[in-house]
Amino acid sequence: MKKALAFVLALAALLCALTACAPKQSAQSTTESNASTTGTDSPIVIRIGHAQNEDGDWHKSLEVFKERVETLSEGSIKVELYANETLGAEMDNITAIQQGNCEGVLSGDTMSNWTPYAALLAMPYAASSMDSLIEIASSEEIGGVIEEQIRQNVKLHPIGFFIRSARNLTANKKIESIDDLKGLKVRVPNNPLHISLWNAFGASATPLAWGEVFSALQNGTIEAQENPYANIISANLPEVQHYLIKTEHVYSWIYILLGEDFWNSLTEEQQTIINTAADEMQTFQWQYLKDEVANQEAQLQEVMEFIEVDKAPFIEIAKQVLGEQLDPEIYDLYLKMVDMNS
């Protein structure tokens, strides 16, 4: 009897020891095991942050992307959109993606902090219309080169691009040629290129925070400013500016970007789904913006006098200024952009 009891106790001790030494299953392994048992893998989540509000063309277009990705993937890929910089400012988003803490962002010439090629996304007189902008950004010899530099240097993968409407000059006096800009106090962003450019045009470039522009125009601290139609309307500038001069000096574009590492982690089928949805998204945005700009122009024409100017002297001066400021390789690509419009 004692021998039997000793045998049972020894067996129990052996089983206990074996159990204690067995490797524990991680939470991830448990989840994967459950997923394989139930056949319901967790969806891939793409978080995309941007600066516009939910009523803007970027967000509306991203909603098209979200719907198409989730439909085409049958729910295996989910897209989460974060407007109004709720995921952080653009620079913060880029850093988060590079560190693997986020998946997507909208960014343009801000990426020149990593690659000088990104500055080409907002060069003066590089494009002459929204259609020429689309042609430039879609081309392999220009857009393709810029995208490759972004992939290599910023570690972001462009899946599409949104176009931006033209920047135009507004003033409180008639500007009918470049000669009329002499000494005109023009508000510009605090950016060396913008300051050099408008001074070269003959104006007196005056850097000023955007929130101060209306009152500065009202009290005469500045006499003019430059912005797209949407900003002119939202800031009520027709109340203090009577003339809109169609300089159309900058057409720019902005990329929808995913992390390069994240992109490479996807299957070919998943990448195809995202590319298909991105094509539909950008086509939607291009037409949406064109329609919106037409409506904005009609609205402004009711309260401001529009003036057409000869852009040729502006273009020649812009080429000269940029030739002095850009690296030769970047400048050569800029000249190719200008040539595509001629």
Side-chain angles (χ1 to χ4, degrees):
M1 183 69 178
K2 289 182 180 179
K3 288 184 178 180
L5 179 59
F7 175 76
V8 171
L9 291 174
L11 181 61
L14 178 60
L15 290 173
C16 183
L18 289 172
T19 303
C21 293
K24 293 182 179 180
Q25 192 174 30
S26 68
Q28 182 179 356
S29 300
T30 303
T31 302
E32 290 173 353
S33 176
N34 290 340
S36 62
T37 302
T38 60
T40 56
D41 291 332
S42 298
I44 293 169
V45 178
I46 302 175
R47 295 163 293 178
I48 302 176
H50 67 88
Q52 275 193 357
N53 62 39
E54 288 86 348
D55 295 325
D57 58 293
W58 294 356
H59 195 80
K60 290 181 183 295
S61 304
L62 285 166
E63 287 179 328
V64 172
F65 176 71
K66 170 182 170 66
E67 188 278 327
R68 295 305 295 144
V69 166
E70 293 179 355
T71 298
L72 291 171
S73 71
E74 298 181 342
S76 65
I77 306 175
K78 296 290 186 183
V79 178
E80 296 178 358
L81 305 177
Y82 295 88
N84 294 308
E85 296 188 337
T86 50
L87 278 185
E90 185 179 329
M91 291 279 284
D92 297 327
N93 279 181
I94 293 173
T95 302
I97 292 170
Q98 291 169 334
Q99 295 172 345
N101 298 323
C102 185
E103 292 76 40
V105 68
L106 270 64
S107 186
D109 55 320
T110 299
M111 290 183 289
S112 57
N113 287 283
W114 287 272
T115 172
Y117 282 82
L120 293 165
L121 301 179
M123 283 286 107
Y125 292 108
S128 59
S129 67
M130 285 187 278
D131 285 334
S132 75
L133 182 70
I134 292 170
E135 182 182 359
I136 288 168
S138 301
S139 68
E140 282 301 317
E141 63 267 35
I142 298 172
V145 171
I146 297 170
E147 289 180 23
E148 182 58 29
Q149 290 295 318
I150 291 171
R151 282 191 287 267
Q152 288 181 9
N153 298 323
V154 198
K155 306 305 179 187
L156 297 177
H157 186 93
I159 59 170
F161 65 89
F162 293 160
I163 58 174
R164 289 165 147 169
S165 56
R167 299 179 75 92
N168 285 289
L169 180 69
T170 67
N172 55 19
K173 72 172 188 177
K174 279 192 174 184
I175 305 295
E176 297 179 304
S177 73
I178 195 169
D179 295 333
D180 295 332
L181 286 177
K182 187 173 182 180
L184 187 75
K185 291 178 286 186
V186 179
R187 180 269 174 182
V188 297
N190 192 10
N191 175 295
L193 177 58
H194 284 266
I195 294 169
S196 298
L197 185 69
W198 284 96
N199 284 335
F201 287 160
S204 175
T206 308
L208 194 66
W210 176 238
E212 301 174 26
V213 169
F214 185 92
S215 59
L217 288 167
Q218 197 171 38
N219 62 35
T221 303
I222 55 174
E223 303 167 281
Q225 68 82 49
E226 51 82 43
N227 258 295
Y229 290 158
N231 292 1
I232 294 168
I233 292 170
S234 65
N236 298 315
L237 294 189
E239 294 181 15
V240 288
Q241 298 273 266
H242 304 301
Y243 303 99
L244 189 146
I245 301 89
K246 294 198 71 175
T247 49
E248 297 177 319
H249 49 279
V250 175
Y251 283 96
S252 62
W253 76 94
I254 188 167
Y255 282 112
I256 306 91
L257 302 145
L258 301 180
E260 184 70 6
D261 289 342
F262 171 75
W263 178 260
N264 291 331
S265 74
L266 300 173
T267 66
E268 186 175 343
E269 180 182 4
Q270 290 165 339
Q271 291 176 352
T272 298
I273 287 171
I274 290 171
N275 283 332
T276 300
D279 286 344
E280 295 184 34
M281 167 184 63
Q282 67 180 11
T283 301
F284 173 89
Q285 192 270 342
W286 299 345
Q287 189 57 53
Y288 185 95
L289 186 65
K290 288 178 183 179
D291 294 341
E292 192 173 52
V293 167
N295 291 332
Q296 291 165 349
E297 183 166 281
Q299 181 179 342
L300 287 170
Q301 284 177 333
E302 293 181 1
V303 291
M304 302 182 78
E305 181 178 339
F306 274 51
I307 301 173
E308 298 280 349
V309 290
D310 180 11
K311 297 186 183 71
F314 288 90
I315 295 170
E316 289 308 310
I317 290 173
K319 287 161 69 173
Q320 179 182 342
V321 170
L322 292 172
E324 296 168 354
Q325 297 204 11
L326 297 178
D327 292 339
E329 190 174 352
I330 308 296
Y331 184 61
D332 286 345
L333 203 58
Y334 167 73
L335 292 179
K336 288 181 181 179
M337 297 168 77
V338 176
D339 289 344
M340 287 186 72
N341 297 309
S342 57

